[in-house]
Amino acid sequence: MVTDQQRGGQDATSARKGEHIRICLQEDVNGMGVRTGFENYRFRHNALPELSLDDIRLETELFGVPLRAPLLVSSMTGGSDATGAINRRLAVAAEARGWAIGLGSMRAAIEKEELAATFRIRSEAPTVPIIANLGAVQLNYGFGAEACRRAVDMAEANALVLHLNSMQEVFQPEGNTDFRGLLVKIEEVCRTLPVPVGVKEVGWGIDGTTALRLKDAGITFIDAAGAGGTSWSQVEKYRSKDDMKRQAAEAFADWGIPTADSVAEVRTVLPDVTLIASGGLFNGVDAAKAIALGADLAGFGRALLPQAASKAGEHSVEGLISQFERIEFELRASMFGIGAASLDELRQTDRLVRSGNP
């Protein structure tokens, strides 16, 4: 039986999702004083690429499922009617263009079954990989392997990602900040679930040492989710009624490992792990740089949100599909510009050079 107090907490979780979307759309939530690190790299142009643009191939796979491009809709939202509509639009576009798609935290639906529909997008995306999502810290607050399995089943997902958001929880009014002993609990989830389990940050990056510990615990993929895009301490600042925490959030506006640095570091220590680059990517050139640094896939989040959140209905979906197509074209054009005909050649290129101020 659900108590009134538990029901109030569940409703608060759902309401928070709507607040997050509104703030991300209306407020300046970029990290300040920190960038993705991609600006420190340039491709050396190849004036004689010796290939046809039509020959460039973007096809790849994730969890054994074919993708038409090495691109991912990053985990963003779900848990309310409005955010469920956003997920459905993103799913339609992902299916149309052959991208993978990640769901936002499914905690709300685990707590409140009637919100499950906001994460059920398999009918809109029948053939592409779907990644279910829960906060790793919830393993210290009553969730276990069974809740993780429910999230996967609910979304008919191909994999589960456990997100690490310690700094967000510090500034979140309802934050859960007990991160003790999580590694052994993550290991149990990896051992128990029948699908691949990965870990992602939410915008502060993952370092090589942490990546090694996670791999040893059994995770099969890592989403670096570095700094330079959305700062969730900034997002929570706009929700907080605590003046002290609102002021303190400013000190952390430049916190985190830039996305490019996180990707390069994780790939160096884990040459074979499936690696996703997300955090502040806005175009296909960013994606090309991420892949050249070692990523298998490039993830896009807030860059897609304005179009996905548009109330223009069918036109909103059409706009998303066009945005996806543009990102793919930019990626393909980048590969043409350096003479890389395949993703393997892009990963092995010597034409990505560090420049500017580190």
Side-chain angles (χ1 to χ4, degrees), residues 15-350:
R16 184 164 67 244
K17 302 306 175 185
E19 288 184 67
H20 284 159
I21 293 297
R22 178 189 61 77
I23 290 168
C24 285
L25 288 170
Q26 297 179 3
E27 306 290 352
D28 183 0
V29 294
N30 272 343
M32 299 177 185
V34 62
R35 301 176 69 182
T36 62
F38 293 124
E39 71 280 359
N40 296 323
Y41 292 89
R42 293 181 63 83
F43 284 112
R44 291 179 63 244
H45 175 61
N46 183 349
L48 187 60
E50 291 285 4
L51 55 83
S52 167
L53 182 65
D54 293 338
D55 291 338
I56 293 174
R57 313 308 303 173
L58 298 184
E59 293 87 356
T60 186
E61 65 174 35
L62 182 65
F63 315 130
V65 181
L67 292 173
R68 287 168 55 190
L71 301 168
L72 165 77
V73 178
S74 291
S75 305
M76 277 190 281
T77 197
S80 69
D81 289 343
T83 58
I86 291 172
N87 276 341
R88 287 189 292 275
R89 293 181 194 120
L90 289 166
V92 171
E95 178 70 22
R97 299 304 308 176
W99 291 28
I101 180 168
L103 294 164
S105 172
M106 299 175 67
R107 174 185 171 186
I110 298 298
E111 294 175 338
K112 194 173 183 180
E113 179 65 29
E114 54 263 44
L115 296 175
T118 69
F119 297 99
R120 287 186 175 128
I121 58 169
R122 183 53 82 186
S123 60
E124 285 82 10
T127 69
V128 299
I130 294 174
I131 304 175
N133 178 7
L134 284 173
V137 74
Q138 296 308 314
L139 299 175
N140 277 347
Y141 289 85
F143 282 23
E146 181 55 33
C148 294
R149 188 189 298 271
R150 284 176 58 199
V152 170
D153 291 345
M154 185 184 300
E156 299 179 63
N158 303 86
L160 172 75
V161 71
L162 296 169
H163 67 262
L164 300 173
N165 64 335
S166 56
M167 297 303 287
Q168 180 186 8
E169 298 288 352
V170 166
F171 289 96
Q172 189 174 103
E174 317 86 346
N176 299 137
T177 55
D178 183 1
F179 275 68
R180 295 173 297 179
L182 281 182
L183 194 62
V184 67
K185 293 180 180 179
I186 290 172
E187 184 173 7
E188 181 184 355
V189 172
C190 293
R191 191 170 55 246
T192 302
L193 259 62
V195 299
V197 177
V199 166
K200 75 182 298 291
E201 239 290 345
V202 300
W204 287 290
I206 293 176
D207 66 276
T209 300
T210 302
L212 281 169
R213 292 167 64 208
L214 290 166
K215 183 67 168 63
D216 288 344
I219 66 94
T220 58
F221 65 99
I222 291 175
D223 185 341
T230 303
S231 166
W232 283 92
S233 55
Q234 292 293 96
V235 173
E236 297 299 347
K237 175 188 73 176
Y238 288 105
R239 295 186 61 242
S240 179
K241 295 179 172 59
D242 184 325
D243 288 341
M244 182 276 289
K245 284 192 175 182
R246 287 174 62 91
Q247 293 176 41
E250 296 301 317
F252 293 86
D254 66 350
W255 194 267
I257 305 167
T259 299
D261 297 348
S262 180
V263 169
E265 187 172 339
V266 172
R267 179 51 78 210
T268 297
V269 300
L270 292 174
D272 299 321
V273 76
T274 298
L275 178 58
I276 299 168
S278 67
L281 279 70
F282 277 87
N283 56 54
V285 182
D286 291 338
K289 290 179 180 179
I291 293 168
L293 286 168
D296 295 292
L297 269 72
F300 291 81
R302 191 158 57 90
L304 309 176
L305 185 58
Q307 186 65 47
S310 168
K311 295 184 171 55
E314 182 178 336
H315 295 294
S316 174
V317 173
E318 291 172 356
L320 271 175
I321 293 172
S322 295
Q323 187 176 6
F324 283 27
E325 187 175 10
R326 173 182 58 77
I327 291 168
E328 293 165 29
F329 175 78
E330 292 162 349
L331 171 57
R332 186 176 280 107
S334 298
M335 294 170 65
F336 184 68
I338 62 171
S342 68
L343 296 175
D344 282 342
E345 289 184 15
L346 176 57
R347 293 189 188 97
Q348 296 166 15
T349 186
D350 60 1

